[in-house]
PDB file of all heavy atoms in Angstrom:
ATOM      1  N   ALA L 107       4.115  12.159  -7.879  1.00 96.00           N
ATOM      2  CA  ALA L 107       3.583  13.338  -8.562  1.00 96.00           C
ATOM      3  C   ALA L 107       4.575  14.352  -8.878  1.00 96.00           C
ATOM      4  O   ALA L 107       4.672  14.839  -9.888  1.00 96.00           O
ATOM      5  CB  ALA L 107       2.330  13.922  -7.827  1.00 96.00           C
ATOM      6  N   VAL L 111       5.629  16.021 -12.516  1.00 98.00           N
ATOM      7  CA  VAL L 111       5.071  17.348 -12.769  1.00 98.00           C
ATOM      8  C   VAL L 111       5.995  18.409 -12.370  1.00 98.00           C
ATOM      9  O   VAL L 111       6.250  18.633 -11.174  1.00 98.00           O
ATOM     10  CB  VAL L 111       3.666  17.474 -11.959  1.00 98.00           C
ATOM     11  CG1 VAL L 111       2.957  18.788 -12.244  1.00 98.00           C
ATOM     12  CG2 VAL L 111       2.739  16.336 -12.338  1.00 98.00           C
ATOM     13  N   VAL L 131      -5.440  26.418 -13.991  1.00 98.00           N
ATOM     14  CA  VAL L 131      -6.513  25.689 -13.449  1.00 98.00           C
ATOM     15  C   VAL L 131      -6.250  25.569 -11.886  1.00 98.00           C
ATOM     16  O   VAL L 131      -5.232  25.233 -11.431  1.00 98.00           O
ATOM     17  CB  VAL L 131      -6.445  24.220 -14.028  1.00 98.00           C
ATOM     18  CG1 VAL L 131      -7.588  23.228 -13.375  1.00 98.00           C
ATOM     19  CG2 VAL L 131      -6.460  24.218 -15.498  1.00 98.00           C
ATOM     20  N   ASP L 132      -7.172  26.119 -11.164  1.00 98.00           N
ATOM     21  CA  ASP L 132      -7.324  26.012  -9.761  1.00 98.00           C
ATOM     22  C   ASP L 132      -8.097  24.789  -9.256  1.00 98.00           C
ATOM     23  O   ASP L 132      -9.175  24.724  -9.672  1.00 98.00           O
ATOM     24  CB  ASP L 132      -8.036  27.352  -9.125  1.00 98.00           C
ATOM     25  CG  ASP L 132      -7.777  27.529  -7.721  1.00 98.00           C
ATOM     26  OD1 ASP L 132      -7.714  26.435  -6.971  1.00 98.00           O
ATOM     27  OD2 ASP L 132      -7.731  28.660  -7.253  1.00 98.00           O
ATOM     28  N   VAL L 133      -7.427  23.886  -8.590  1.00 98.00           N
ATOM     29  CA  VAL L 133      -7.981  22.674  -8.297  1.00 98.00           C
ATOM     30  C   VAL L 133      -8.576  22.579  -6.871  1.00 98.00           C
ATOM     31  O   VAL L 133      -8.933  21.548  -6.398  1.00 98.00           O
ATOM     32  CB  VAL L 133      -7.109  21.358  -8.409  1.00 98.00           C
ATOM     33  CG1 VAL L 133      -6.731  21.345 -10.017  1.00 98.00           C
ATOM     34  CG2 VAL L 133      -5.790  21.583  -7.654  1.00 98.00           C
ATOM     35  N   ARG L 134      -8.537  23.737  -6.275  1.00 97.00           N
ATOM     36  CA  ARG L 134      -9.189  23.757  -4.873  1.00 97.00           C
ATOM     37  C   ARG L 134     -10.752  23.661  -4.964  1.00 97.00           C
ATOM     38  O   ARG L 134     -11.340  23.893  -6.050  1.00 97.00           O
ATOM     39  CB  ARG L 134      -8.878  25.114  -4.190  1.00 97.00           C
ATOM     40  CG  ARG L 134      -7.338  25.228  -3.898  1.00 97.00           C
ATOM     41  CD  ARG L 134      -7.086  26.575  -3.341  1.00 97.00           C
ATOM     42  NE  ARG L 134      -7.349  27.691  -4.203  1.00 97.00           N
ATOM     43  CZ  ARG L 134      -7.729  28.962  -3.842  1.00 97.00           C
ATOM     44  NH1 ARG L 134      -7.689  29.268  -2.727  1.00 97.00           N
ATOM     45  NH2 ARG L 134      -7.862  29.852  -4.776  1.00 97.00           N
ATOM     46  N   VAL L 151     -11.509  23.757 -11.490  1.00 98.00           N
ATOM     47  CA  VAL L 151     -11.797  22.390 -11.589  1.00 98.00           C
ATOM     48  C   VAL L 151     -11.338  21.596 -10.279  1.00 98.00           C
ATOM     49  O   VAL L 151     -10.146  21.505 -10.126  1.00 98.00           O
ATOM     50  CB  VAL L 151     -11.141  21.725 -12.819  1.00 98.00           C
ATOM     51  CG1 VAL L 151     -11.514  20.264 -12.955  1.00 98.00           C
ATOM     52  CG2 VAL L 151     -11.591  22.420 -14.130  1.00 98.00           C
ATOM     53  N   ALA L 152     -12.292  21.355  -9.423  1.00 97.00           N
ATOM     54  CA  ALA L 152     -11.931  20.712  -8.198  1.00 97.00           C
ATOM     55  C   ALA L 152     -11.172  19.405  -8.487  1.00 97.00           C
ATOM     56  O   ALA L 152     -11.396  18.722  -9.429  1.00 97.00           O
ATOM     57  CB  ALA L 152     -13.135  20.462  -7.299  1.00 97.00           C
ATOM     58  N   ARG L 153     -10.106  19.028  -7.532  1.00 96.00           N
ATOM     59  CA  ARG L 153      -9.376  17.999  -7.798  1.00 96.00           C
ATOM     60  C   ARG L 153     -10.214  16.731  -8.056  1.00 96.00           C
ATOM     61  O   ARG L 153      -9.943  15.825  -8.762  1.00 96.00           O
ATOM     62  CB  ARG L 153      -8.475  17.696  -6.676  1.00 96.00           C
ATOM     63  CG  ARG L 153      -7.612  16.461  -6.773  1.00 96.00           C
ATOM     64  CD  ARG L 153      -6.526  16.464  -5.819  1.00 96.00           C
ATOM     65  NE  ARG L 153      -5.859  15.137  -5.913  1.00 96.00           N
ATOM     66  CZ  ARG L 153      -5.793  14.066  -5.176  1.00 96.00           C
ATOM     67  NH1 ARG L 153      -6.532  14.296  -3.976  1.00 96.00           N
ATOM     68  NH2 ARG L 153      -5.244  13.007  -5.311  1.00 96.00           N
ATOM     69  N   GLY L 154     -11.436  16.603  -7.251  1.00 96.00           N
ATOM     70  CA  GLY L 154     -12.265  15.451  -7.401  1.00 96.00           C
ATOM     71  C   GLY L 154     -12.884  15.306  -8.771  1.00 96.00           C
ATOM     72  O   GLY L 154     -13.536  14.301  -9.096  1.00 96.00           O
ATOM     73  N   MET L 155     -12.831  16.270  -9.560  1.00 97.00           N
ATOM     74  CA  MET L 155     -13.558  16.359 -10.890  1.00 97.00           C
ATOM     75  C   MET L 155     -12.475  16.356 -12.077  1.00 97.00           C
ATOM     76  O   MET L 155     -12.944  16.283 -13.245  1.00 97.00           O
ATOM     77  CB  MET L 155     -14.445  17.505 -10.946  1.00 97.00           C
ATOM     78  CG  MET L 155     -15.546  17.534 -10.042  1.00 97.00           C
ATOM     79  SD  MET L 155     -16.717  16.245 -10.402  1.00 97.00           S
ATOM     80  CE  MET L 155     -17.301  16.670 -12.029  1.00 97.00           C
ATOM     81  N   ILE L 156     -11.298  16.340 -11.716  1.00 98.00           N
ATOM     82  CA  ILE L 156     -10.244  16.514 -12.772  1.00 98.00           C
ATOM     83  C   ILE L 156     -10.368  15.431 -13.949  1.00 98.00           C
ATOM     84  O   ILE L 156     -10.277  15.842 -15.121  1.00 98.00           O
ATOM     85  CB  ILE L 156      -8.850  16.659 -12.297  1.00 98.00           C
ATOM     86  CG1 ILE L 156      -7.908  17.284 -13.270  1.00 98.00           C
ATOM     87  CG2 ILE L 156      -8.234  15.296 -11.761  1.00 98.00           C
ATOM     88  CD1 ILE L 156      -7.966  18.791 -13.256  1.00 98.00           C
ATOM     89  N   GLU L 157     -10.485  14.197 -13.536  1.00 98.00           N
ATOM     90  CA  GLU L 157     -10.548  13.167 -14.567  1.00 98.00           C
ATOM     91  C   GLU L 157     -11.770  13.408 -15.558  1.00 98.00           C
ATOM     92  O   GLU L 157     -11.631  13.200 -16.721  1.00 98.00           O
ATOM     93  CB  GLU L 157     -10.741  11.830 -14.043  1.00 98.00           C
ATOM     94  CG  GLU L 157      -9.494  11.349 -13.268  1.00 98.00           C
ATOM     95  CD  GLU L 157      -9.502  11.731 -11.800  1.00 98.00           C
ATOM     96  OE1 GLU L 157     -10.242  12.499 -11.344  1.00 98.00           O
ATOM     97  OE2 GLU L 157      -8.577  11.184 -11.112  1.00 98.00           O
ATOM     98  N   LEU L 179      -1.204  24.385 -12.955  1.00 98.00           N
ATOM     99  CA  LEU L 179      -2.153  24.112 -11.932  1.00 98.00           C
ATOM    100  C   LEU L 179      -1.740  24.813 -10.648  1.00 98.00           C
ATOM    101  O   LEU L 179      -0.620  24.982 -10.253  1.00 98.00           O
ATOM    102  CB  LEU L 179      -2.095  22.606 -11.609  1.00 98.00           C
ATOM    103  CG  LEU L 179      -2.460  21.786 -12.777  1.00 98.00           C
ATOM    104  CD1 LEU L 179      -2.019  20.362 -12.627  1.00 98.00           C
ATOM    105  CD2 LEU L 179      -3.973  21.758 -13.049  1.00 98.00           C
ATOM    106  N   VAL L 180      -2.860  25.290  -9.809  1.00 98.00           N
ATOM    107  CA  VAL L 180      -2.515  25.905  -8.537  1.00 98.00           C
ATOM    108  C   VAL L 180      -3.557  25.329  -7.476  1.00 98.00           C
ATOM    109  O   VAL L 180      -4.628  24.748  -7.990  1.00 98.00           O
ATOM    110  CB  VAL L 180      -2.804  27.414  -8.698  1.00 98.00           C
ATOM    111  CG1 VAL L 180      -4.237  27.761  -9.012  1.00 98.00           C
ATOM    112  CG2 VAL L 180      -2.324  28.217  -7.416  1.00 98.00           C
ATOM    113  N   CYS L 181      -3.134  25.361  -6.185  1.00 96.00           N
ATOM    114  CA  CYS L 181      -4.064  24.890  -5.144  1.00 96.00           C
ATOM    115  C   CYS L 181      -3.780  25.683  -3.918  1.00 96.00           C
ATOM    116  O   CYS L 181      -3.354  26.838  -4.060  1.00 96.00           O
ATOM    117  CB  CYS L 181      -4.024  23.363  -4.984  1.00 96.00           C
ATOM    118  SG  CYS L 181      -2.311  22.936  -4.266  1.00 96.00           S
ATOM    119  N   GLY L 184       0.129  23.367  -3.016  1.00 91.00           N
ATOM    120  CA  GLY L 184       0.942  22.701  -4.186  1.00 91.00           C
ATOM    121  C   GLY L 184       0.717  21.283  -4.141  1.00 91.00           C
ATOM    122  O   GLY L 184       1.004  20.678  -5.236  1.00 91.00           O
ATOM    123  N   GLY L 185       0.325  20.678  -3.067  1.00 94.00           N
ATOM    124  CA  GLY L 185       0.070  19.197  -3.101  1.00 94.00           C
ATOM    125  C   GLY L 185      -1.039  18.737  -3.991  1.00 94.00           C
ATOM    126  O   GLY L 185      -0.835  17.775  -4.816  1.00 94.00           O
ATOM    127  N   GLN L 186      -2.215  19.346  -3.899  1.00 97.00           N
ATOM    128  CA  GLN L 186      -3.344  18.945  -4.790  1.00 97.00           C
ATOM    129  C   GLN L 186      -2.979  19.246  -6.240  1.00 97.00           C
ATOM    130  O   GLN L 186      -3.429  18.394  -7.090  1.00 97.00           O
ATOM    131  CB  GLN L 186      -4.588  19.732  -4.444  1.00 97.00           C
ATOM    132  CG  GLN L 186      -5.227  19.271  -3.066  1.00 97.00           C
ATOM    133  CD  GLN L 186      -6.455  19.999  -2.804  1.00 97.00           C
ATOM    134  OE1 GLN L 186      -7.453  19.821  -3.560  1.00 97.00           O
ATOM    135  NE2 GLN L 186      -6.479  20.818  -1.868  1.00 97.00           N
ATOM    136  N   ALA L 187      -2.325  20.253  -6.504  1.00 97.00           N
ATOM    137  CA  ALA L 187      -1.967  20.609  -7.854  1.00 97.00           C
ATOM    138  C   ALA L 187      -0.966  19.572  -8.367  1.00 97.00           C
ATOM    139  O   ALA L 187      -1.131  19.149  -9.563  1.00 97.00           O
ATOM    140  CB  ALA L 187      -1.198  22.070  -7.942  1.00 97.00           C
ATOM    141  N   ALA L 188       0.048  19.135  -7.561  1.00 97.00           N
ATOM    142  CA  ALA L 188       0.828  18.114  -8.100  1.00 97.00           C
ATOM    143  C   ALA L 188       0.149  16.728  -8.391  1.00 97.00           C
ATOM    144  O   ALA L 188       0.319  16.215  -9.445  1.00 97.00           O
ATOM    145  CB  ALA L 188       1.965  17.791  -6.945  1.00 97.00           C
ATOM    146  N   LEU L 189      -0.825  16.386  -7.443  1.00 97.00           N
ATOM    147  CA  LEU L 189      -1.485  15.167  -7.612  1.00 97.00           C
ATOM    148  C   LEU L 189      -2.381  15.310  -8.982  1.00 97.00           C
ATOM    149  O   LEU L 189      -2.589  14.334  -9.690  1.00 97.00           O
ATOM    150  CB  LEU L 189      -2.334  14.812  -6.474  1.00 97.00           C
ATOM    151  CG  LEU L 189      -1.562  14.387  -5.147  1.00 97.00           C
ATOM    152  CD1 LEU L 189      -2.369  14.502  -3.906  1.00 97.00           C
ATOM    153  CD2 LEU L 189      -0.848  13.065  -5.391  1.00 97.00           C
ATOM    154  N   SER L 190      -2.996  16.367  -9.063  1.00 98.00           N
ATOM    155  CA  SER L 190      -3.957  16.669 -10.227  1.00 98.00           C
ATOM    156  C   SER L 190      -3.019  16.562 -11.475  1.00 98.00           C
ATOM    157  O   SER L 190      -3.528  16.132 -12.608  1.00 98.00           O
ATOM    158  CB  SER L 190      -4.624  18.010 -10.228  1.00 98.00           C
ATOM    159  OG  SER L 190      -5.443  17.960  -9.127  1.00 98.00           O
ATOM    160  N   GLY L 191      -1.864  17.109 -11.430  1.00 98.00           N
ATOM    161  CA  GLY L 191      -0.988  17.219 -12.574  1.00 98.00           C
ATOM    162  C   GLY L 191      -0.655  15.733 -13.044  1.00 98.00           C
ATOM    163  O   GLY L 191      -0.496  15.490 -14.282  1.00 98.00           O
ATOM    164  N   LYS L 192      -0.200  14.909 -12.117  1.00 98.00           N
ATOM    165  CA  LYS L 192       0.014  13.551 -12.267  1.00 98.00           C
ATOM    166  C   LYS L 192      -1.046  12.872 -12.998  1.00 98.00           C
ATOM    167  O   LYS L 192      -0.957  12.195 -14.072  1.00 98.00           O
ATOM    168  CB  LYS L 192       0.504  12.775 -11.131  1.00 98.00           C
ATOM    169  CG  LYS L 192       0.915  11.324 -11.572  1.00 98.00           C
ATOM    170  CD  LYS L 192       1.563  10.593 -10.479  1.00 98.00           C
ATOM    171  CE  LYS L 192       1.977   9.293 -10.919  1.00 98.00           C
ATOM    172  NZ  LYS L 192       1.156   8.500 -11.687  1.00 98.00           N
ATOM    173  N   THR L 193      -2.324  13.097 -12.592  1.00 98.00           N
ATOM    174  CA  THR L 193      -3.419  12.575 -13.204  1.00 98.00           C
ATOM    175  C   THR L 193      -3.510  13.022 -14.694  1.00 98.00           C
ATOM    176  O   THR L 193      -3.797  12.155 -15.675  1.00 98.00           O
ATOM    177  CB  THR L 193      -4.724  12.903 -12.513  1.00 98.00           C
ATOM    178  OG1 THR L 193      -4.640  12.351 -11.177  1.00 98.00           O
ATOM    179  CG2 THR L 193      -6.039  12.421 -13.234  1.00 98.00           C
ATOM    180  N   LEU L 194      -3.370  14.225 -14.937  1.00 98.00           N
ATOM    181  CA  LEU L 194      -3.314  14.825 -16.351  1.00 98.00           C
ATOM    182  C   LEU L 194      -2.350  14.170 -17.177  1.00 98.00           C
ATOM    183  O   LEU L 194      -2.586  13.788 -18.311  1.00 98.00           O
ATOM    184  CB  LEU L 194      -3.257  16.353 -16.355  1.00 98.00           C
ATOM    185  CG  LEU L 194      -4.482  17.113 -15.787  1.00 98.00           C
ATOM    186  CD1 LEU L 194      -4.128  18.568 -15.677  1.00 98.00           C
ATOM    187  CD2 LEU L 194      -5.756  16.778 -16.493  1.00 98.00           C
ATOM    188  N   LYS L 195      -1.090  14.001 -16.616  1.00 98.00           N
ATOM    189  CA  LYS L 195      -0.091  13.375 -17.289  1.00 98.00           C
ATOM    190  C   LYS L 195      -0.338  11.911 -17.630  1.00 98.00           C
ATOM    191  O   LYS L 195      -0.122  11.425 -18.789  1.00 98.00           O
ATOM    192  CB  LYS L 195       1.260  13.408 -16.473  1.00 98.00           C
ATOM    193  CG  LYS L 195       1.958  14.720 -16.344  1.00 98.00           C
ATOM    194  CD  LYS L 195       2.661  15.133 -17.471  1.00 98.00           C
ATOM    195  CE  LYS L 195       3.803  15.910 -17.122  1.00 98.00           C
ATOM    196  NZ  LYS L 195       4.827  16.068 -18.141  1.00 98.00           N
ATOM    197  N   ASP L 196      -0.997  11.164 -16.638  1.00 97.00           N
ATOM    198  CA  ASP L 196      -1.457   9.860 -16.927  1.00 97.00           C
ATOM    199  C   ASP L 196      -2.571   9.784 -18.057  1.00 97.00           C
ATOM    200  O   ASP L 196      -2.588   8.799 -18.712  1.00 97.00           O
ATOM    201  CB  ASP L 196      -2.022   9.288 -15.667  1.00 97.00           C
ATOM    202  CG  ASP L 196      -0.862   8.932 -14.482  1.00 97.00           C
ATOM    203  OD1 ASP L 196       0.273   8.965 -14.850  1.00 97.00           O
ATOM    204  OD2 ASP L 196      -1.293   8.699 -13.472  1.00 97.00           O
ATOM    205  N   MET L 197      -3.221  10.798 -18.206  1.00 98.00           N
ATOM    206  CA  MET L 197      -4.295  10.863 -19.237  1.00 98.00           C
ATOM    207  C   MET L 197      -3.781  11.304 -20.575  1.00 98.00           C
ATOM    208  O   MET L 197      -4.582  11.401 -21.532  1.00 98.00           O
ATOM    209  CB  MET L 197      -5.458  11.748 -18.657  1.00 98.00           C
ATOM    210  CG  MET L 197      -6.143  11.287 -17.546  1.00 98.00           C
ATOM    211  SD  MET L 197      -7.537  12.374 -16.893  1.00 98.00           S
ATOM    212  CE  MET L 197      -8.703  12.195 -18.196  1.00 98.00           C
ATOM    213  N   VAL L 202       2.170  20.074 -18.518  1.00 98.00           N
ATOM    214  CA  VAL L 202       1.618  20.411 -17.265  1.00 98.00           C
ATOM    215  C   VAL L 202       2.639  20.864 -16.203  1.00 98.00           C
ATOM    216  O   VAL L 202       3.651  20.162 -16.112  1.00 98.00           O
ATOM    217  CB  VAL L 202       0.819  19.183 -16.693  1.00 98.00           C
ATOM    218  CG1 VAL L 202       0.012  19.485 -15.496  1.00 98.00           C
ATOM    219  CG2 VAL L 202      -0.160  18.627 -17.803  1.00 98.00           C
TER     220      VAL L 202
END
Side-chain angles (χ1 to χ4, degrees):
V111 179
V131 181
D132 193 328
V133 298
R134 296 176 294 155
V151 181
R153 180 172 174 245
M155 293 296 294
I156 199 79
E157 292 88 347
L179 301 162
V180 67
C181 64
Q186 290 183 66
L189 293 168
S190 297
K192 181 168 185 317
T193 297
L194 292 176
K195 292 278 215 166
D196 290 346
M197 293 178 75
V202 179

